[in-house]
Amino acid sequence: MIMPLGLGCSSRPGTSRVNRTGSWRTFRPVFLRDKCTKCRLCIQLCPEGCIMEESEGFPVPDYTYCKGCGLCAEECPAEVIEMQKEEK
Amino acid sequence: MTDEQCSLFEPGHRACGGCAAALAARAILDAAGPDTIIVSATGCMEVFSTPYPETAWKVPWIHSLFENNSAVASGITAALKKQGRKEKVIALGGDGATFDIGMLCLSGAFERGHDFVYICYDNEAYMNTGIQRSGATPYDASTTTSPAGKCSTGNRRPKKDLPAILAAHGAPYVATATIAYLPDLKKKVRKALDTEGPCYVQVHAPCCTGWGFEGEKTLAIARLAVETGLFVSYEMENGVVTRVKKVVRKPVEEYLKEQRRFRHLFRPKRNDAEIAKIQAIADRNAEKFGIDINLKK
Amino acid sequence: MMEIMEGSHAVAHAVRMCRPEVIAAYPITPQTHIVEALAEMVANCSLDAEYITVESEFSALSACLGASAAGSRVYSATTSQGLALMFEVCFNTAGMRLPVVMSIVNRALGAPLSIWNDQQDSISLRDSGWLQFYAEDNQEATDLHYIAYRVAEDKGVLLPAFVCFDGFILSHTYEPVEMLTQEQVDSYLPPYSPVQRLDSKNPISIGLFASPDYYMEFRYEIDRAMKASSQVIREAGRRFGEMFGRDYSNLVEEYRMDDAECAIVAMGSICGTVKDAIDEMRRDGQKAGLLRIRTFRPFPGDEIKKALAGVSSVAVLDKNISLGAKGAVALEVRDALYGSGIPVLDYIIALGGRDVAKKDIKSVVKMAMAGNGDLFYGLRGEVLG
C-alpha cells in the first residue's frame, strides 16, 4: 500500500485494526451458551475489546483479534468459557 | 450498542495477552468519552498502541517524550482555553514516566493548577525497557536493576507515596484505583474529569510479563493486591481521604507467592523475616487508611 | 514609527503584534526582559494570550509543543543553559512539524558559567530541524519575528524557528527601531491555520513511533521541508521589503563584496563592527568585504558559493567552537566552497562575551591574507601560563 507519510508521524483513528492479533493465539476461548447468564463481564474485561454482544445478548469473541489470553475464561462467574488448544 | 462495544480504544494493538494497561486504556476511554484529548508519555502503552502507521486510539492523541506529558498537557489546556474549546485533557503515563522522570513537569503542572487529569497506569517498574526498578517498585520486588541475589532480597525501598505528594500540591481530587474493579475505576476517572483543576488517578495495573504470572491471572493478582492491603483503593478530596475500599484482609504471602518477582522470598527457602516486613507494610496501610472489615461484629 | 527602544522590548512588542495565543517561558538572563514585558502586556490586557509560567525551560517548550499541536500560535524565548535543557524537545518539535517560534538571546554555555554572549547555544542545535535566523541589529531582530512566523507556518515548511540575536549586545541595548503597526503586521502575517490539530471532531494520533521501515523517510521529509524553506524565506523577505521597505529576500547579506579580495564571513551583531572596520580598510586601499549569514538553517550554501566566488581568501568569525574540530560556520562555509580552491580560515572569536574591536577585525584580515588562521583569536597568553 502506498500512502503519503502522516505529517509529524501522525495517523488516522482505528488503523490498528490492520494488525490481526488473532494469529498470536495458542488457546482459543470457546463460549458455551447454555449456562451463559449474559452478565457481560467478559465484554468489559477483555484487554483487546474484541468480545461483542450479539443480538440475543450473548458474548461473541472476534477471533481476528483475540490473543487467547484466557482472562475471560478465568473470570467468567458461570464458568462457561473454555480454553481449547488452537488447531494449526 | 453499549459503550463497551463502541470502544474508543481499538483492537489490533500489540499489548501482551492479558495486559492490564490495555484494559485500563479501554476503561479510561469508556469513562472519558470521545471529547477527550490524550497526552501519552513514552512507555509500554504508547509503544503497543501506536506503531506507525497504526493507532489504536479513536480520540485525539499525542505523544511527545517520556517525561513531558504534564507540560504538553499544560500547553494543550491553555490552547483550548484560549480557543474556547471544551474538550477534556488526560495525561497518561506509566509509573516510570510519572513517579520518576516526569516528576518535575508533573509537579509544575499541578502547582499551576491546569484543568486536566493525570492518570498513571502503575505496573511498578520500567516494563517497556525490560523490567527495571522505578520509584513505584514495591519493597523486595526483584527487577532487572534490583535483582534478588545472594546478598540482596530485591528492591530496597518502599514505593513512593505519589498520591500524597500530589494532594500536597493542592490537587482537589486524588484517587487510587485498580483494574480489578473496573466500575470503580471508571467512576473515579469520571469524577476526576468532572472536578475542576489538576486531578490525579493512579491505576494499579499488574504486568504479567514483568511480575511473572500468567495473563489470565491479571485481575486475580490485582484483586489480591487489594485484599492483602498492599494496594489501597481510596479517594482524597482537597487533601482529605474521603473514601476507602475496605476488605477482609488476607496474608500478604497469598499475593507474593503468585509472582515471579517475589519468588526469592519462598525459594530456595522461605524468608520469614522479609515476608514479615512486607506484612508490616500492609498492616501500616490498613491502619493508616482503616481498610479492615471486622467480621466479629 | 521610529522609536528608541531596548532590544528586548522591541522584540516583545513585535511578538505581541504576531498575536501568539499561548506563551510559555522560564526566566534566564539575558532573555528576561522579553518575557517580563510580555507578562506585563498580558496583565494589562494589551496582549490576549495564555501565559504559562512553567517550572523549567524543558516544560516551556513542551507546553508550546502541546499548544501548537492543539492549533494555537505559540511563543517562547530562552538562551544558553535553557536552550540546552530544551534539547530533547527541540528535536521533537521539529519532528512533529510544529511551527513554534522562539527567540534565542544568544549566550555562552557553561562550564565555565557565563552569562555573556557568544552563539554556542543555538549553533549547538543546528541539527535539530529548527530554522535559524541571526539578527545584526535590533531592527532586524524585530522584523525577523514577523518573517519567522510567516515562514514557519507556511504549509510547505511547517518547521519551528529560532530568531537569534546577541545577548546584552542587542537585547539590552537601546537603538532606534521602526516598529510596524498592528494593522501592518496583520496584513503581513495571516492568522495561523494549522494543517492538522488535536481535535475531537477529527481525532488523529500525532507522534507515533517509527520502525526502521519508516524512520528514515520521516527524517528525509524534515530535511526536504527545511531545504524547501529557502525559497519561502526569500519570498517572505521580499514581500516584507515591498510592504515595509526593508528587504530580507536574501539569506545572506553582502557588504562591499564587489571587488573584495578578502571576505569575512560572520553572523549577528559582530557584523556591525566588521562593517565599520571594512570601511576603514577600504579607505586605506585594502579590498575587504563582509558576507553576513542571516539564515544559518537552512544553510545557504549556494548563495555563499556565489558570493565568495571571486575572493582570494575567506576569514570566518566563529562565535562558537565544535570542540575538537573547528567553528561550525567555518566548517560549513568550507563545505560550500569545496573544490573552489579558495582558502577558508577559521577564527574562534568573542567567546563568553570577549569584546571585539575594529582593530581585531583588521588583524584577522591581515592574518587571513597571510594564510594564518584556524585558531582562537585574542587568547590571553598570560593566563594560560
Side-chain angles (χ1 to χ4, degrees):
Chain A
M1 184 170 62
I2 297 168
M3 60 177 201
L5 290 176
L7 187 73
C9 211
S10 59
S11 191
R12 316 304 305 177
T15 35
S16 63
R17 281 187 176 272
V18 301
N19 188 39
R20 297 164 158 249
T21 50
S23 63
W24 299 12
R25 209 168 46 239
T26 51
F27 285 89
R28 143 190 304 252
V30 177
F31 289 61
L32 310 171
R33 289 197 175 195
D34 50 348
K35 288 184 202 152
C36 175
T37 62
K38 303 180 188 175
C39 74
R40 306 170 48 77
L41 187 67
C42 55
I43 295 174
Q44 289 179 47
L45 57 71
C46 172
E48 312 311 311
C50 69
I51 305 175
M52 304 298 150
E53 185 183 321
E54 48 87 282
S55 53
E56 289 173 54
F58 288 106
V60 181
D62 182 348
Y63 291 116
T64 313
Y65 300 106
C66 171
K67 293 169 185 166
C69 73
L71 196 55
C72 53
E74 179 75 16
E75 296 292 328
C76 176
E79 298 182 11
V80 298
I81 307 171
E82 276 180 12
M83 297 306 287
Q84 295 178 359
K85 193 147 176 44
E86 197 68 58
E87 302 294 335
K88 291 288 169 187
Chain B
M1 240 181 163
T2 62
D3 52 345
E4 293 93 12
Q5 280 178 295
C6 58
S7 176
L8 294 166
F9 190 71
E10 291 254 279
H13 61 73
R14 290 141 195 257
C16 304
C19 174
L23 179 50
R26 278 194 65 210
I28 289 163
L29 289 189
D30 272 351
D35 289 329
T36 310
I37 295 172
I38 300 288
V39 188
S40 175
T42 307
C44 254
M45 192 191 281
E46 171 257 331
V47 168
F48 74 62
S49 65
T50 62
Y52 184 86
E54 298 165 24
T55 177
W57 302 85
K58 289 180 85 176
V59 294
W61 179 96
I62 184 170
H63 160 252
S64 170
L65 298 167
F66 196 3
E67 67 276 41
N68 71 350
N69 58 347
S70 304
V72 173
S74 301
I76 294 170
T77 57
L80 296 182
K81 192 173 166 195
K82 184 70 182 63
Q83 295 171 24
R85 289 162 60 187
K86 302 287 180 208
E87 288 122 302
K88 297 284 186 182
V89 178
I90 294 177
L92 262 179
D95 50 288
T98 310
F99 282 61
D100 294 351
I101 198 168
M103 189 70 193
L104 175 72
C105 295
L106 179 60
S107 173
F110 269 60
E111 176 275 316
R112 291 189 299 273
H114 296 280
D115 187 15
F116 79 118
V117 176
Y118 193 104
I119 301 178
C120 170
Y121 65 98
D122 178 15
N123 52 28
E124 303 190 325
Y126 290 88
M127 297 316 182
N128 193 40
T129 43
I131 322 160
Q132 294 84 16
R133 88 169 283 279
S134 78
T137 302
Y139 180 73
D140 268 357
S142 182
T143 73
T144 55
T145 53
S146 65
K150 278 180 190 161
C151 48
S152 169
T153 55
N155 187 45
R156 301 314 304 153
R157 297 284 301 160
K159 192 182 183 83
K160 189 194 280 189
D161 189 358
L162 191 57
I165 294 168
L166 293 171
H169 281 67
Y173 182 74
V174 169
T176 61
T178 160
I179 53 106
Y181 305 111
L182 291 171
D184 178 70
L185 163 59
K186 291 182 193 181
K187 210 165 75 186
K188 285 170 174 169
V189 169
R190 197 60 248 169
K191 193 162 172 182
L193 286 165
D194 289 341
T195 304
E196 199 179 324
C199 298
Y200 178 67
V201 182
Q202 186 168 303
V203 182
H204 202 229
C207 171
C208 49
T209 309
W211 297 10
F213 60 83
E214 293 302 322
E216 76 262 21
K217 297 284 187 195
T218 297
L219 264 74
I221 295 284
R223 274 195 299 274
L224 277 170
V226 177
E227 289 164 356
T228 54
L230 284 172
F231 174 80
V232 182
S233 176
Y234 62 93
E235 291 178 288
M236 284 173 95
E237 288 167 78
N238 299 310
V240 180
V241 177
T242 51
R243 192 172 150 268
V244 176
K245 179 166 178 63
K246 300 203 174 201
V247 293
V248 178
R249 265 202 298 149
K250 295 176 176 172
V252 292
E253 68 174 277
E254 289 193 24
Y255 175 64
L256 304 177
K257 70 183 186 207
E258 299 296 325
Q259 305 172 49
R260 192 181 56 231
R261 64 177 177 161
F262 294 115
R263 186 170 54 189
H264 57 285
L265 301 178
F266 301 93
R267 278 190 271 173
K269 66 178 189 359
R270 195 184 154 86
N271 189 334
D272 285 319
E274 287 303 307
I275 294 169
K277 285 184 196 171
I278 298 173
Q279 185 60 56
I281 292 171
D283 293 347
R284 278 198 299 277
N285 282 344
E287 194 184 353
K288 182 178 170 190
F289 290 97
I291 61 173
D292 286 333
I293 294 172
N294 193 345
L295 287 176
K296 288 178 182 170
K297 253 180 201 169
Chain C
M1 191 176 72
M2 192 68 88
E3 291 177 64
I4 308 284
M5 295 178 90
E6 187 190 300
S8 295
H9 290 160
V11 165
H13 279 284
V15 169
R16 171 179 58 78
M17 288 189 282
C18 292
R19 300 185 187 276
E21 291 188 329
V22 177
I23 297 168
Y26 186 82
I28 180 168
T29 304
Q31 153 265 36
T32 44
H33 289 188
I34 302 173
V35 295
E36 287 168 356
L38 289 166
E40 206 175 305
M41 292 170 196
V42 172
N44 291 320
C45 303
S46 61
L47 171 58
D48 182 17
E50 289 293 317
Y51 190 110
I52 311 176
T53 51
V54 282
E55 79 295 338
S56 73
E57 288 91 352
F58 179 81
S59 281
L61 188 52
S62 297
C64 285
L65 181 151
S68 182
S72 282
R73 180 173 289 162
V74 301
Y75 174 76
S76 191
T78 193
T79 176
S80 180
Q81 313 302 134
L83 183 58
L85 187 57
M86 289 177 179
F87 182 91
E88 192 186 11
V89 199
C90 283
F91 278 72
N92 209 245
T93 311
M96 294 173 81
R97 308 297 298 276
L98 297 168
V100 176
V101 171
M102 183 156 68
S103 304
I104 306 297
V105 189
N106 286 115
R107 169 185 145 181
L109 270 170
L113 180 65
S114 166
I115 60 164
W116 292 279
N117 167 252
D118 62 37
Q119 294 163 345
Q120 189 70 56
D121 48 4
S122 49
I123 289 283
S124 298
L125 267 295
R126 65 180 186 237
D127 303 333
S128 65
W130 287 60
L131 307 173
Q132 292 199 10
F133 302 102
Y134 287 81
E136 179 183 341
D137 55 25
N138 287 342
Q139 182 66 63
E140 197 172 82
T142 309
D143 293 343
L144 284 173
H145 281 83
Y146 314 120
I147 293 169
Y149 274 111
R150 182 165 157 142
V151 173
E153 293 171 3
D154 186 282
K155 290 183 172 45
V157 179
L158 292 175
L159 287 173
F162 291 159
V163 179
C164 307
F165 55 104
D166 291 322
F168 293 116
I169 300 168
L170 294 181
S171 64
H172 286 55
T173 300
Y174 281 73
E175 282 182 356
V177 176
E178 173 92 33
M179 293 304 295
L180 301 184
T181 64
Q182 185 66 65
E183 292 69 31
Q184 286 175 312
V185 176
D186 289 345
S187 65
Y188 179 74
L189 180 65
Y192 175 43
S193 89
V195 171
Q196 62 185 25
R197 65 171 191 179
L198 295 167
D199 187 346
S200 57
K201 291 188 196 73
N202 182 17
I204 58 165
S205 294
I206 310 175
L208 284 68
F209 83 88
S211 68
D213 288 341
Y214 289 101
Y215 183 84
M216 270 185 76
E217 284 71 20
F218 276 107
R219 302 299 288 172
Y220 169 76
E221 288 281 15
I222 303 167
D223 185 58
R224 190 157 73 160
M226 178 67 89
K227 282 168 179 154
S229 74
S230 294
Q231 193 51 33
V232 179
I233 295 167
R234 283 187 204 100
E235 281 164 20
R238 181 185 53 76
R239 184 77 188 123
F240 193 90
E242 284 168 5
M243 291 175 71
F244 312 120
R246 291 183 296 279
D247 183 79
Y248 294 98
S249 58
N250 292 315
L251 278 59
V252 297
E253 182 204 3
E254 295 180 39
Y255 184 79
R256 305 192 81 162
M257 282 294 294
D258 282 350
D259 57 346
E261 285 167 6
C262 178
I264 290 172
V265 177
M267 306 197 299
S269 64
I270 196 172
C271 294
T273 309
V274 173
K275 286 173 180 175
D276 289 346
I278 286 171
D279 289 345
E280 290 182 12
M281 284 186 275
R282 286 277 178 171
R283 248 175 278 150
D284 298 340
Q286 249 186 306
K287 290 184 175 171
L290 166 70
L291 179 67
R292 178 166 73 90
I293 299 174
R294 184 191 292 124
T295 305
F296 183 63
R297 283 291 180 276
F299 190 72
D302 290 342
E303 284 91 330
I304 289 169
K305 189 178 175 185
K306 199 171 145 222
L308 297 177
V311 305
S312 53
S313 71
V314 175
V316 180
L317 307 182
D318 261 306
K319 287 171 96 167
N320 72 86
I321 169 78
S322 180
L323 298 164
K326 295 196 165 51
V329 182
L331 289 169
E332 301 199 11
V333 169
R334 215 169 268 184
D335 173 61
L337 294 186
Y338 179 74
S340 71
I342 301 168
V344 177
L345 295 157
D346 192 21
Y347 302 87
I348 307 300
I349 199 164
L351 298 188
R354 180 72 54 88
D355 197 28
V356 175
K358 283 183 283 186
K359 66 173 172 46
D360 299 312
I361 306 300
K362 291 175 188 173
S363 165
V364 162
V365 168
K366 203 166 162 185
M367 290 164 79
M369 295 299 277
N372 180 18
D374 289 355
L375 46 78
F376 277 62
Y377 176 85
L379 286 178
R380 295 177 61 213
E382 68 273 25
V383 297
L384 284 170

